[in-house]
Amino acid sequence: MINDAPFSHAPQLRPYQTQAVDNVIAHFRGSDDPAVVVLPTGSGKSLVIAELARRARGRVLVLAHVRELVEQNHAKYLAYGLEADIFSAGLGRKESGRQVVFGSVQSVVNGLDDFATGEFTLLVIDECHRLAMSEKALARSAGKAEDDRSRSVSTYERVIARLRQARPNLKVLGLTATPYRLGEGFIYHRHYHGMVKGPEDAFFRDCVFEQPLRVMVRQGYLAEPRRIDGAMAFYDFSRLTPQRNGQFAERDLNGVVQGNRATPRIIHDVIERARDREGVMIFAATVAHAEEVLGLLPSGESAVVTGATPGPERERLIAAFKARELKYLVNVAVLTTGFDAPHVDVIAILRPTESVGLYQQIVGRGLRLSPGKTDCLILDYAGNPWELYAPEIAQARPDGESEPVQVECPECGFANTFWGKRDGDLVIEHHGRRCQGLVGGSQCTFRFRFKVCEQCGGENDIAARACGHCGERLVDPDDKLRDALKLRHAKVLRVSGMQLAATINGRGVPRLKVTYHDEDGETLNEWFGLETPAQRHVFDRVFLRQHLRAPGSGWRPGSAEEAAAEAGRLRAPDFVIGRKSGRHWRVEEKLFDYVGRYRKADAAGGEV
């Protein structure tokens, strides 16, 4: 697949670009698994693509979702003094005869017969985070008829399935600045630094190279982003609920921004901060919002571009902005990828960004280098919670006080990064579920938080519906609550507090007393001895592993007094189910991480 011969006309690659190319070549020499390269916006993905296409021995197809990227990637390849075809209806060209073809995915999927000869050995997908599928989904789509236009089969799936049909060992490489998808997390399974990131069935198996944004800025390859949150004037999107697709409805967004008294103050603030700046991009929430914003900007210096803007008019406005004839360019979700205007030095965000990937794409519009440009102002008037630099973790931040914390796995020793909280250097809480380390090429089996199968005792993810060990259906928490409330000698508490106390039991023996109570004053108690190694082992197995706010941290209290004094390290369950045993109540089960229907115990009972 790879040609290592030197080329006299080759552009000079930066060190990280060379390393990315070398890592891709090394990966595909030993594997046919689809791979990903992660490079921040403005880092030169097009040059990496061009170098890989030049060095490939077989035919290469490079796909992008917008014609601007097709044109940009094609131009970088031509810089080598080589020729390549373009297959894009939007660019008015349908060529597919040369060794390297740059195409738009929409055009290629409608002309698959031109690509089904089996000569293509490498498929490159730019902005590959748009590809949402697993290997199972691809296997299903491979069996569909060629003329199937079902929405259940994406354009990328159909292209990959057809090319693999002709060449089963097709190499597939994706490039992106944002390797995660809304509600799904990372798009690849393994990272070359030796950790698990995404699901086991992810289509892309390995991330073979990643250049962090922070490193790019520190090395001077990108402008420094300076984030300023709108303090005096901002929009409150906190009460909006995303739709099933994870995005906010335009109606709901308009309900916040239309006629909002904050808008004039926000635009005044943008104009003041941009007074000595070159180019300002404003990301509005809706079309109506964009038009309102445009009316508040300096006339003759501003324009708006939306999905409804006609093609020729859109090109004219963008060209005027790039030529600095316009200073302000307002847009609604159309200039987040494939847009290159290096002089942009102010990004104003007036909309909620549903995902960290979208936020990173928006910020990236202002980070390219330009003569005289030292930094880029990132003005956020929407309270977006995302990290400015590429995040270490896929999940959304649980709350404003959480930060990335390092948690060592007690089994394999891997240093995981989870959202959590510190007290000085001490990690007192984290939200990790399973160790992300790789052991012998597979993910470590240790789980920090888990759901136990009642049939085999196996530990499963807290969101699992079936046991991964024996296959049995895991009992739904709501079913447990309803079943318990049917029994005469059962008590169900929706826990509102938990107290620990070092005390002496009725026989004069030191014990740790754990008391759970609800809002109505009902209580249930547990008692533990911590005097002997055997008692401490039972306490660890029965209590600590579920209750620790930072499981796996290694904290093991040596006495009831120590446990009570450090109660802040522990979390309370959401529900406790008790059974009557003689004259006393015994805690039978505790439910953690509850996401069911019932917020109070008696709500479940009302249906019984």
Side-chain angles (χ1 to χ4, degrees):
M1 171 200 156
I2 299 299
N3 177 11
D4 288 325
F7 193 74
S8 59
H9 297 95
Q12 184 65 42
L13 269 65
R14 294 169 175 172
Y16 68 84
Q17 293 169 328
T18 300
Q19 190 63 58
V21 170
D22 291 344
N23 285 17
V24 170
I25 292 172
H27 172 79
F28 282 139
R29 277 181 171 157
S31 174
D32 294 333
D33 287 344
V36 170
V37 166
V38 179
L39 292 171
T41 300
S43 60
K45 293 196 300 292
S46 296
L47 203 55
V48 171
I49 292 171
E51 177 68 9
L52 286 167
R54 181 188 73 81
R55 294 174 65 174
R57 288 178 181 162
R59 298 194 67 195
V60 181
L61 174 60
V62 181
L63 291 181
H65 69 289
V66 292
R67 65 182 185 179
E68 290 86 357
L69 283 176
V70 174
E71 205 167 25
Q72 179 178 306
N73 292 334
H74 179 258
K76 290 296 183 184
Y77 188 75
L78 296 187
Y80 280 93
L82 300 173
E83 293 295 326
D85 283 343
I86 285 180
F87 200 93
S88 170
L91 295 173
R93 296 172 62 175
K94 289 285 190 76
E95 309 150 355
S96 60
R98 288 191 169 94
Q99 179 188 1
V100 180
V101 181
F102 293 86
S104 67
V105 65
Q106 296 88 348
S107 298
V108 170
V109 81
N110 291 324
L112 280 175
D113 288 342
D114 292 324
F115 301 90
T117 62
E119 298 174 346
F120 288 93
T121 61
L122 174 63
L123 172 64
V124 179
I125 301 174
D126 199 0
E127 304 291 349
C128 66
H129 59 274
R130 303 180 66 86
L131 192 158
M133 67 181 194
S134 64
E135 276 291 355
K136 292 178 182 178
L138 182 60
R140 289 194 300 269
S141 67
K144 293 182 178 288
E146 291 178 12
D147 61 349
D148 185 355
R149 297 297 188 268
S150 169
R151 289 187 179 181
S152 65
V153 182
S154 75
T155 50
Y156 287 107
E157 285 178 74
R158 293 177 59 210
V159 173
I160 295 170
R162 185 65 179 274
L163 266 61
R164 276 186 172 177
Q165 195 174 34
R167 182 178 285 271
N169 65 339
L170 174 77
K171 316 289 188 182
V172 182
L173 175 70
L175 292 98
T176 181
T178 52
Y180 17 75
R181 286 182 59 83
L182 179 62
E184 299 176 22
F186 281 89
I187 62 172
Y188 60 83
H189 180 51
R190 299 177 295 239
H191 193 279
Y192 70 110
H193 284 161
M195 67 191 81
V196 170
K197 287 287 194 175
E200 175 66 34
D201 65 345
F203 171 74
F204 290 109
R205 305 304 300 153
D206 296 278
C207 172
V208 297
F209 182 80
E210 180 174 15
Q211 179 76 343
L213 174 59
R214 194 183 300 275
V215 175
M216 291 284 291
V217 172
R218 187 171 64 242
Q219 294 178 349
Y221 291 123
L222 291 176
E224 180 186 1
R226 290 205 299 121
R227 174 168 169 163
I228 300 175
D229 291 328
M232 301 301 294
F234 59 90
Y235 300 112
D236 183 6
F237 295 102
S238 62
R239 297 185 180 182
L240 297 190
T241 302
Q243 303 174 101
R244 283 189 175 182
N245 63 4
Q247 299 177 343
F248 296 109
E250 184 172 358
R251 179 187 65 256
D252 295 339
L253 291 171
N254 274 328
V256 174
V257 299
Q258 267 191 325
N260 193 309
R261 289 180 297 176
T263 302
R265 288 188 291 157
I266 287 172
I267 300 307
H268 175 76
D269 190 53
V270 171
I271 293 171
E272 284 299 309
R273 293 183 184 276
R275 192 167 295 281
D276 298 321
R277 297 274 165 167
E278 296 292 326
V280 181
M281 290 186 70
I282 299 175
F283 291 82
T286 67
V287 174
H289 185 215
E291 296 290 350
E292 182 181 357
V293 167
L294 181 64
L296 297 167
L297 291 167
S299 178
E301 297 182 54
S302 315
V304 63
V305 174
T306 72
T309 306
E313 175 68 2
R314 174 175 167 175
E315 291 179 7
R316 183 187 70 79
L317 294 174
I318 289 176
F321 180 70
K322 289 184 176 181
R324 309 193 190 192
E325 297 167 8
L326 298 171
K327 181 174 181 176
Y328 302 91
L329 187 60
V330 188
N331 85 99
V332 184
V334 293
L335 300 180
T336 54
T337 59
F339 179 81
D340 185 358
H343 76 287
V344 170
D345 52 4
V346 177
I347 298 290
I349 307 174
L350 280 64
R351 54 158 294 175
T353 52
E354 299 92 338
S355 69
V356 64
L358 176 58
Y359 181 76
Q360 294 292 330
Q361 293 285 358
I362 288 174
V363 170
R365 300 308 106 197
L367 302 188
R368 284 183 170 87
L369 298 178
S370 181
K373 177 178 172 180
T374 57
D375 59 26
C376 179
L377 288 183
I378 312 299
L379 308 177
D380 192 340
Y381 300 95
N384 289 293
W386 311 110
E387 289 292 294
L388 187 57
Y389 293 98
E392 302 255 350
I393 34 189
Q395 293 77 20
R397 179 185 290 195
D399 54 64
E401 297 179 358
S402 293
E403 60 179 315
V405 298
Q406 198 168 85
V407 181
E408 185 174 300
C409 173
E411 283 195 3
C412 73
F414 179 77
N416 294 273
T417 302
F418 300 129
W419 287 117
K421 296 175 183 175
R422 290 189 181 93
D423 181 2
D425 293 332
L426 178 67
V427 176
I428 59 171
E429 181 179 16
H430 71 75
H431 297 273
R433 295 185 183 181
R434 183 176 176 181
C435 175
Q436 299 169 335
L438 286 170
V439 179
S442 299
Q443 185 172 3
C444 175
T445 59
F446 182 80
R447 296 185 184 277
F448 294 93
R449 290 190 170 88
F450 51 88
K451 182 189 293 184
V452 176
C453 174
E454 296 180 356
Q455 297 295 320
C456 70
E459 295 179 0
N460 298 271
D461 185 77
I462 60 175
R465 294 178 179 273
C467 178
H469 304 272
C470 68
E472 285 292 319
R473 175 182 173 273
L474 296 174
V475 180
D476 184 86
D478 287 340
D479 292 342
K480 289 184 177 181
L481 294 175
R482 285 194 297 267
D483 290 345
L485 286 163
K486 290 178 183 179
L487 303 174
R488 280 185 62 190
H489 302 294
K491 182 189 290 188
V492 178
L493 266 63
R494 169 70 184 181
V495 178
S496 61
M498 178 181 79
Q499 283 80 41
L500 276 70
T503 186
I504 304 294
N505 67 8
R507 294 180 303 216
V509 179
R511 286 290 183 264
L512 175 68
K513 180 183 179 182
V514 182
T515 302
Y516 308 98
H517 62 83
D518 66 10
E519 294 176 351
D520 299 322
E522 287 284 340
T523 62
L524 284 169
N525 300 318
E526 281 187 296
W527 300 79
F528 295 96
L530 282 86
E531 302 303 303
T532 69
Q535 289 175 332
R536 291 191 290 272
H537 174 74
V538 171
F539 179 67
D540 179 29
R541 182 173 55 83
V542 173
F543 185 87
L544 273 188
R545 279 206 68 188
Q546 286 187 307
H547 283 270
L548 277 175
R549 293 172 62 196
S553 61
W555 179 62
R556 301 289 184 273
S559 66
E561 288 77 10
E562 182 184 352
E566 297 285 335
R569 290 174 175 261
L570 304 170
R571 61 175 184 153
D574 296 303
F575 282 95
V576 174
I577 300 173
R579 291 284 184 90
K580 196 69 173 291
S581 178
R583 293 184 297 112
H584 303 286
W585 290 96
R586 174 173 53 86
V587 172
E588 184 175 76
E589 186 153 17
K590 291 172 280 191
L591 303 182
F592 292 85
D593 307 295
Y594 178 78
V595 292
R597 297 169 56 193
Y598 307 115
R599 307 317 303 168
K600 292 180 72 71
D602 57 2
E607 293 192 359
V608 177

